[in-house]
Amino acid sequence: MPLGEFDLIERYFRRASRRRDVLLGVGDDAALLEVPPGRALVAATDTLVEGRHFLPGAPPRSVGHQALAVNLSDLAAMGAEPAWALLSLSLPDADERWLEGFADGFFALADAHGVELVGGDTVRGPLVVTVEILGFVDAARALKRSGARPGDTLHVSGWLGESAAGLATLLREGAGAASDDPLVRRHLFAEPRLALGKALAGIATSAMDVSDGLLGDLRKLCAASGVGATLELDALPLSEALLSRYPPAECENFALHGGDDYELLFTLPADCPGPGEPGAGGLPGLTRIGRITAGSGVRCTRDGIEVAVSGAGYDHFG
Ligand code: ADP
Ligand code: MG
């Protein structure tokens, strides 16, 4: 007997409340939530469409993880702390094996960051997952794209290009490709940089998450701030896992044009300590990749010499 809508929500998405600021969660017409006094409410939403944002046949656990991760990454980029999520699911059928995996992936990440699912919607249709994330930030310390100033240093967290390389493997070998491959895992289970975002709040002059490829995202940050940037290609953080699998030029392509890294791109005032030194920029796992300039647009350099980078670049996605 197929699972009805009510039973589906009860079985997979209604859990005991775990936050005191949830006055009313899943089950009523709407949720009642208490925002801490003096803090701003931060809201973001992102949708994943099967065949566009994840491959048909992708492991359901990874779809559940990714749907929340992309939203948490937006809050990380604001320097915010996540609290509540809403989940709208459009499902072709009530496939219990799929739902179980999806809910496992979603709640494992939610629990890791203290996020409670407080509502949503469930309909029949093509496989589409929309999450809305809500959280808090001190408005004066929120990280925006618009605060970069000439002279600021430019930094990125983690490794770039691994997720795009993992996607390339999946496109080559199919959705069932070895899930213990570190690049494939990186694509399926990106970790949002919430702790870093919070640490940068009030310190970084601007920030955004890298979701559509470093170069395009940096252009967006520059446009929002009304500045230009110099990007040092030899400084791009490329992991051994990536470099051992692809020639250097292709690794650079993955890093500049590949998507789904979910690292943070941010700027620090010129007098702020850089990565490796004690202080804000001394947080581990950060790489200085350039600097903000007057003017507009992004100049790429190699060994200090300006080089042309084709805008299209890597195009498994085009
Ligand atoms: P309504 O018809 O009033 O919109 P629904 O039947 O859509 O009510 O939803 C009933 C309750 O279940 C609501 O509290 C809603 O927020 C919640 N809900 C529905 N789908 C989901 C889901 N996928 N995840 C979490 N909560 C859900
Ligand atoms: Mg509804």
Side-chain angles (χ1 to χ4, degrees):
M1 167 135 167
L3 197 62
E5 182 190 322
F6 176 81
D7 294 324
L8 186 161
I9 296 165
E10 286 293 310
R11 185 165 314 169
Y12 294 105
F13 299 112
R14 182 165 177 165
R15 307 195 308 169
S17 178
R18 45 201 74 202
R19 291 183 62 102
R20 293 156 59 112
D21 53 14
V22 177
L23 309 180
L24 195 56
V26 170
D28 213 300
D29 294 310
L32 276 179
L33 309 167
E34 199 164 36
V35 181
R39 305 200 78 192
L41 182 68
V42 189
T45 186
D46 257 314
T47 295
L48 302 184
V49 178
E50 184 185 40
R52 177 155 287 270
H53 302 95
F54 59 92
L55 296 174
R61 200 167 207 289
S62 79
V63 180
H65 175 98
Q66 205 181 353
L68 184 58
V70 299
N71 280 279
L72 289 175
S73 181
D74 282 329
L75 256 57
M78 299 302 293
E81 177 188 327
W84 313 303
L86 294 123
L87 168 66
S88 289
L89 270 180
S90 167
L91 302 168
D93 48 41
D95 176 343
E96 294 208 47
R97 219 182 51 82
W98 193 92
L99 280 162
E100 206 163 292
F102 176 90
D104 275 354
F106 185 95
F107 285 120
L109 185 62
D111 290 346
H113 294 288
V115 172
E116 183 167 331
L117 180 64
V118 296
D121 201 18
T122 307
V123 300
R124 189 188 287 270
L127 184 53
V128 178
V129 185
T130 301
V131 170
E132 181 175 13
I133 188 84
L134 299 162
F136 325 120
V137 72
D138 298 334
R141 291 161 58 89
L143 299 171
K144 299 178 204 142
R145 296 181 179 186
S146 56
R149 293 293 167 260
D152 288 356
T153 53
L154 180 65
H155 305 262
V156 73
S157 61
W159 305 115
L160 295 176
E162 288 192 339
S163 178
L167 174 59
T169 303
L170 288 168
L171 288 168
R172 239 183 3 249
E173 298 175 14
S179 56
D180 56 351
D181 176 335
L183 302 180
V184 169
R185 276 202 68 77
R186 178 66 201 275
H187 179 73
L188 296 177
F189 295 98
E191 280 299 331
R193 301 293 176 209
L194 285 155
L196 175 60
K198 255 176 104 170
L200 291 172
I203 297 168
T205 48
S206 71
M208 68 183 295
D209 65 330
V210 184
S211 54
D212 298 331
L214 175 70
L215 191 55
D217 284 339
L218 176 56
R219 288 191 180 117
K220 289 181 203 165
L221 185 140
C222 286
S225 292
V227 296
T230 301
L231 177 62
E232 296 163 16
L233 297 179
D234 7 47
L236 292 178
L238 304 175
S239 69
E240 210 26 66
L242 183 61
L243 287 164
S244 66
R245 297 266 290 272
Y246 291 92
E250 194 153 0
C251 294
E252 188 178 288
N253 232 1
F254 281 128
L256 290 176
H257 307 294
D260 300 331
D261 285 313
Y262 300 108
E263 295 296 348
L264 294 186
L265 173 67
F266 59 95
T267 54
L268 295 175
D271 55 1
C272 200
E277 299 162 44
L283 292 161
L286 304 181
T287 308
R288 183 186 168 289
I289 54 170
R291 85 171 39 251
I292 298 298
T293 61
S296 63
V298 176
R299 262 174 81 240
C300 294
T301 64
R302 204 187 306 281
D303 299 322
I305 297 164
E306 184 163 355
V307 292
V309 169
S310 82
Y314 182 70
D315 194 21
H316 276 299
F317 320 105

